[in-house]
Structures are given as structure tokens and as C-alpha cells.
Amino acid sequence: MKRTTDFLPHSVTRNVRPDGSILLHSDIPLGPVMRRTGDWLHRWAIEAPDRVFLAERSGAGWRTVTYREALQMVRALAESLLARGLDGDRPILILSGNGVDHGLLSLAGQYAGVPIVPVAEQYSLIHGAHGRLRHAVELVRPAMAFTVDAAHYGEALELDCFDGVEIVASHTHGRPGVTAFETLLQGDDSTDIDAAFDAVTPATVAKILMTSGSTSSPKGVLTTQAMMCVNQTQLADALPMLRARPPRIVDWLPWNHVFGGSHNFNMMLANGGSLYIDDGKPVPGLFERTVENLRLTTGTLSFNVPVGYGMLLKALKADDALRRRFFEDLDLIFYAGASLPQEVWQGFEAMAMEIKGEVPMITTSWGLTETGPAVMLQHEPIDRSGVVGVPLPGCTVKLLPNAEMRCEARVKGPNIMPGYFEAPEKSAEAFDDEGFFVTGDAMVFIDPDTPNKGMKFDGRISEDFKLLTGTWVRAAQLRIDMLTCLSPLAADLVITGADRDQIGVMIFPNMGELKSEGFSDASDAGALSDPALLGEIHRRLAERAREISGSSTRVARAIVLAEPPSMPEGEMTAKGNLNFRKVLTRRADLLARLYADSDPCVTTI
């Protein structure tokens, strides 16, 4: 099938060591690396001064900032930060979501050597999540906190943990004690901004990114200038399209997460691209805004999570003009967060062939907050979902295989964090005796005899469990399979069965889909009770059971939960991931019902 862009074939070396461990690394040499993110800004302010760098919605169109304007504003903001005494030990906490002012302030901090700490906006906007916000404030002790709107975030700003912290807002609404962002843009000539910028080195901490805290209190990942700069060189070395022409994205992915804030944001900055901030999201009521934004501007690259691509596919099918506009300049469809359902993959392929007779690269990568993020990337075309590819240039992946050649993955490279913020014990525990970061993720080779075919993510090792029979269940992969089986009825789900005789599933439904399909939302003590819905789930589980063998993958029980996952109760992280342990603990009564002999809200096969 014809592809729109050239690609760089995989080329890896695999060394099997006497202890059975495997070292996997790319044969592609690592190219030149910028020292600091500010160097990218200087480059494009000279080479493409009038090109749009950042844009956000304003009225019927976009508020845009060019590279020349961005450099001027970043330097002025950095002067103001220095004049206030901010430095590497006095960071800036960012409370609100993606926006032009957020982006400029982040770059100003990096320019002046002041770490930025972006936290999920839900921590401020959801009353029950204020504990997570307080934890972040007490951990990093910021000198400044920024929000786009002092009134909208007002409840959070009243927390006593902000005593002594300068509050800055784009819109102050006359709130006492709040500094207007415009004040910082005035700069301060009394500071030596050039000397401060010269003092920023690759080892300087640029960000402190908070982990999701799904297994413990959130940790602060020290993200250095080198980590971010190296990772963009690694990605561009593997994806020639990034250097072939300036990329453009219309992107909603949150900047408090490493995917949106480091991977995508810096990809535009490093390659002289344009980032149009999508203020929509792939959730009912907000996705319509995404469609509106795409009618204004489309990208050369598309980044999203699988559920977002599922919603986008439906929107494109219903709108001929949008479909043509979306594909006309598209080089890459990149999914992350979970495996892309194969029918969605094939839907995009079919549309691309219909529109232009060729298909953009559809791919994903693998990495963590602690790895910058990208470590592995599928950078040659493939026809199926779920393959995360091979190590990027400069990375070494150590694989510890078991008898079935399922491998625990550990990584080393210049894009790996130096450690966690003020947590020496946790930092030490994160690395093995050879200095490899212990990811806790599992991988399998697509073809054990041909490492160039890449690897497939095979779940978190800690999520695996045993049935009473002693059979191991790989919960992460099974969850992906079940989401495909139950699509689009299931928004997410939890695999159950530890120390029981059967595998079950607790389903968080996609309520919008249920309503559109005519199913009832009637419930009984926390579980949906519509017989028609349970009958449809039973049909799908039974059909799947006929196609598989073995108790390790056969799902025999299901219950549909009436209440969505709660962020204040810790069932969902700010990244939108489920905390499986918390769901099972908090909903122990529903788990018990799932395994009861008879319950009208449980379907069994």
C-alpha cells in the first residue's frame, strides 16, 4: 500500500548475554543535539521569524504567536522571573491547562533556569482532588503559581498551601493579590538575561513532572534540558518527515503529561513547527469543539488516544469536506495510551486511500515520564496495531526474558531522568545495578528470530495475577483485547479474577453510546440492570470464547458499573488512566456481586 512519506527502516543489534539477558540497541547514529530548548527558539526566530509557533482559539479564529514574537516575550518573561529571585530552587507551578501564555511562561522558565511544574488542571477544578494539588505544592515549594483565570481557579487559590506564593493570572478579574500576566511581559532591564541563559546547561532541570500516583503518592520526575533535547533528536533521526517540512498539529493532549507537554510541544519547537491548541477533548460535549477546530486548521501530524481516534473516525465519515481537509497534508497518525482498535486503524487507511490514494504512516511508540518520554518507536510502515517498534538512536533496552520469552524491559540512555525530586531512596530503587531504569513493563518480540520486526508492549508486570488454578493472567493485554471486544459500549474496564476460578470484567460504560443504541441506564445498587445491554455483552463474550482456548484469556463474567471512575477517590489519575487497585478496593461489594452465584446485573457464560 502506497505511503505518503519516506521512512527509515529499522536497524537494530541484539546481544544475548551469558546470564540470558538481552541488550537491544539501534544501529542508527544519534545526530547533533541542541543544548537547551531556548536554542531552538533562537534558531527559528532567525530562520522563520514570521511562522506561527503557538496558536489558541480566539473568537471565530486563532490567536497566534510567531517565532519572533515568542522569543521576545519569552526573554521579557524570563527577565521578570529573575527580578523576582526565582531560580533552580524556586520553581513555577502551573495550575491551568494548555494555552499560549502557559507555553510562553514554560519556555521563559526554561530560558532562565527556573523549573516548571505543570499539574493536572483537574487537581484545582475538582474539589475532591485538592489533596493532590496540596501534595504537589508542599513537595516542590513553588515561588510562583500561574493560572489562566483567577476566578475559575479561585477555590484552589484559596488553599493555605499557597500562602507566600505569588499568583499570576492571564485574567485576574480584579482578584486582590494576583499579578497580571501582562505585568511579567513588561520585562525588567535590571537583570542580565543573557548571562542567565548562558548559565543554563544540558543538566539544568527544565521541568518537574508529577507521576500519576496510581501505586503511591505522586513523585516528581526531574526532567532536564538534555532529556528533552536528546529525545527530539532521537525522534527526528528516526522520522525523516519531521525535518522534511515544518510540522503542524492541532492538539489537545495535556501539557502536564509528558506526551503532550514534552513529546508534542517540543517536537514543534525543535523542528520549527506550529502547534494549534485544541481546546476540545475526546469526551461528549467537548469533542464537538475539536471538530470545529479541525474545520479551521488541520495538521501534517495527528496525535491522539484510541478513544479520540474512534470519535474522529465517526466525525470524518459524516463530513466529506472535513475528511478531505484532514487527509490532504497528513504524514503521520500517531496513537498512544493504549492499542488502537484494528477496525479504527483500517477505517483511517480506507479513508486515506479514498481521498489521496496513499496512506500516512500509522504508528506508536513506548516510553514513560521518566524516559523523556520516547524510548522505542515503530518507524517503518506496518499494517497492524500494538507494535511499539525498536529502540531509538542512543537508547539501549535491556530485556529479561522468562521461559515464554516475555521480557521485562529496562532502559538506559541520555533521555533517562537523573532521579526523582528530593526522593533519593525512590531514585535509587528505580535503577538496577547496571544503571538501567526499571520500567516494570513487559515486551515480546513480534518475531524472536528477527528483532528488526520490533516488539509489542505486553502489559505491566505488576498487573498480572494468578487464578486459583495457578494459571497466570496477563491483565494488561487482556484488557486491550476486551476493550476491542466490547467497543464502543465500554469506555474502560478492569480485569478481575485474582485468586478466583474465573476471569471477570468490571465495565465502565460509554454512556453516550448506550443511549444512542437504545439501552437503558437503569441501575441496581451501583450496576446497570438493562437485560438488553447484558444480553449484548453476553453475546460478545460467548462469541469470543468460541474463538479462543485456555482459561488465561477466557472472560466468563461481566458487570456494568453505573458510577464513572472517581478522580477524588483515586480511581482515575489525572492522565485519565484507571487505578485498578483502587477500583477493586472501593467497589469491593460490586466485585463480590460479580462472583456471586446469581445476580440480575451480572452476565456469565
Side-chain angles (χ1 to χ4, degrees), residues 163 184 242 269 399 462 571:
D163 291 348
L184 299 189
L242 296 177
L269 179 59
L399 302 165
S462 62
E571 291 184 321

Side-chain angles (χ1 to χ4, degrees), residues 449-591:
D449 297 323
T450 313
N452 276 333
K453 290 187 177 180
M455 303 196 78
K456 182 177 181 179
F457 174 71
D458 201 43
R460 296 283 296 171
I461 292 172
S462 62
E463 293 173 7
D464 295 349
F465 60 81
K466 278 186 179 182
L467 298 172
L468 280 175
T469 59
T471 300
W472 276 103
V473 176
R474 297 179 183 174
Q477 182 57 51
L478 182 56
R479 172 176 165 273
I480 291 170
D481 295 343
M482 291 309 302
L483 283 171
T484 299
C485 173
L486 298 172
S487 175
L489 302 179
D492 213 331
L493 51 84
V494 176
I495 302 295
T496 69
D499 298 323
R500 297 180 184 271
D501 58 356
Q502 291 180 323
I503 300 173
V505 60
M506 301 174 73
I507 301 167
F508 287 103
N510 185 334
M511 296 303 296
E513 282 293 335
L514 297 193
K515 291 179 181 178
S516 67
E517 294 292 331
F519 294 119
S520 168
D521 60 358
S523 63
D524 176 9
L528 297 190
S529 56
D530 182 3
L533 172 61
L534 295 174
E536 173 61 17
I537 292 171
H538 180 277
R539 183 190 67 77
R540 297 191 188 195
L541 295 183
E543 183 177 300
R544 179 179 178 275
R546 288 193 291 271
E547 298 173 353
I548 63 173
S549 61
S551 60
S552 66
T553 57
R554 184 179 187 273
V555 176
R557 297 172 173 270
I559 189 169
V560 185
L561 308 179
E563 178 194 346
S566 168
M567 181 178 291
E569 296 293 337
E571 291 184 321
M572 175 179 282
T573 71
K575 298 175 184 177
N577 300 324
L578 287 181
N579 182 333
F580 304 120
R581 292 185 181 88
K582 190 67 175 181
V583 171
L584 293 173
T585 300
R586 183 168 179 259
R587 306 186 192 228
D589 57 333
L590 291 167
L591 179 61

Side-chain angles (χ1 to χ4, degrees), residues 352-387:
M353 289 298 293
E354 171 197 345
I355 297 299
K356 54 197 298 187
E358 53 191 13
V359 177
M361 180 178 285
I362 305 178
T363 192
T364 191
S365 69
W366 170 76
L368 302 91
T369 305
E370 291 91 341
T371 64
V375 173
M376 301 180 77
L377 173 70
Q378 178 67 30
H379 56 80
E380 62 180 31
I382 196 171
D383 60 2
R384 58 173 162 158
S385 178
V387 181

